[in-house]
């Protein structure tokens, strides 16, 4: 291995450590607790080393969001792959999405609530974000209905899932009805 390859591997390892530590801090204490100073202390690197990888917290949030999008895409595909038939696939997809939002709250916030400097629904949208949408589209496109553009239907269904996830996490919806909400969403929107 060349010196250049070793340095690149070490750099990538430091970036993974920074992102993993930011996620850990955010999950434990919220995103307000994630600062360059605190990250530097936790991983035992100087602040200038962190700034050599990320220009600031915004870029770190963006890196967490991209990692989270890849994880969400994998979770959605895995859930849909275990289901048989369109109704079961959409139900599994909806549950997997809501579970991801519930169990990865800081990552979900990085993806959809915080400014990570990422472009959505544009030419320069990063590939992990496009792939997460594609993971939704793969199952939802087949139930969009006649005359309905599959991507447009996927956007509406995604918006409904996001609304359920956000309101549930904020304690605005009674938790005992979570499963009924998911069933209603699938039955009335996706299977209408």
């Amino acid at each position: 291995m060349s010196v250049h390859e070793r340095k690149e591997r070490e750099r990538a390892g430091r970036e993974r450590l920074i992102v993993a530590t930011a996620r850990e801090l955010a999950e434990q204490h919220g995103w307000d607790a994630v600062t360059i100073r605190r990250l530097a202390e936790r991983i035992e690197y100087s602040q200038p080393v962190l700034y050599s990888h990320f220009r600031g917290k915004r870029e770190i949030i963006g890196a967490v969001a991209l990692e989270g999008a890849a994880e969400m895409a994998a979770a959605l595909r895995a859930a849909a792959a275990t289901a048989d038939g369109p109704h079961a696939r959409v139900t599994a997809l909806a549950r997997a999405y809501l579970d991801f939002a519930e169990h990865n709250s800081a990552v979900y916030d990085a993806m959809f609530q915080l400014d990570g400097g990422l472009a959505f629904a544009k030419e320069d949208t990063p590939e992990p974000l496009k792939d997460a949408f594609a993971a939704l589209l793969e199952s939802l496109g087949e139930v969009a209905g006649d005359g309905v553009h599959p991507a447009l239907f996927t956007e509406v269904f995604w918006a409904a899932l996001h609304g359920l996830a956000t309101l549930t996490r904020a304690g605005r919806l009674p938790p005992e009805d979570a499963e009924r909400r998911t069933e209603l969403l699938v039955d009335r929107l996706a299977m209408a």
Side-chain angles (χ1 to χ4, degrees):
M1 174 183 314
S2 73
V3 171
H4 176 72
E5 290 172 332
R6 180 182 53 78
K7 286 184 178 184
E8 286 300 313
R9 189 180 67 210
E10 289 171 356
R11 181 174 179 75
R14 279 191 305 273
E15 283 185 11
R16 284 191 303 275
L17 179 61
I18 293 166
V19 171
T21 304
R23 282 180 73 160
E24 179 184 313
L25 272 171
E27 289 293 348
Q28 292 173 353
H29 306 290
W31 277 103
D32 287 342
V34 179
T35 64
I36 298 297
R37 173 175 283 159
R38 186 172 280 159
L39 285 171
E41 289 170 2
R42 278 268 179 113
I43 63 174
E44 299 178 344
Y45 281 108
S46 67
Q47 289 182 42
V49 169
L50 270 71
Y51 281 116
S52 74
H53 290 275
F54 298 98
R55 285 183 283 194
K57 182 176 175 177
R58 181 179 187 219
E59 283 190 4
I60 294 170
I61 290 169
V64 169
L66 293 176
E67 194 173 87
E71 292 168 8
M72 176 183 271
L76 296 175
R77 286 188 175 106
T82 63
D84 188 29
H87 186 274
R89 269 191 294 283
V90 173
T91 301
L93 180 87
R95 286 182 181 139
Y97 185 98
L98 295 170
D99 286 346
F100 184 90
E102 179 183 352
H103 294 105
N104 301 281
S105 58
V107 173
Y108 193 83
D109 286 346
M111 292 168 65
F112 300 119
Q113 307 287 32
L114 302 173
D115 179 9
L118 303 174
F120 282 82
K122 301 204 180 335
E123 281 292 317
D124 60 341
T125 297
E127 199 54 44
L129 298 178
K130 289 178 182 178
D131 190 51
F133 184 77
L136 290 167
L137 181 62
E138 289 162 11
S139 291
L140 294 169
E142 70 179 316
V143 299
D146 293 336
V148 178
H149 191 280
L152 183 61
F153 178 79
T154 300
E155 290 170 354
V156 171
F157 196 89
W158 173 29
L161 283 173
H162 177 69
L164 285 175
T166 303
L167 292 170
T168 299
R169 287 180 54 222
R172 302 290 199 270
L173 300 174
E176 63 272 10
D177 293 326
E179 186 60 30
R180 290 179 53 213
R181 277 187 212 93
T182 303
E183 290 171 6
L184 185 62
L185 175 64
V186 170
D187 290 344
R188 297 300 170 111
L189 187 58
M191 299 300 156

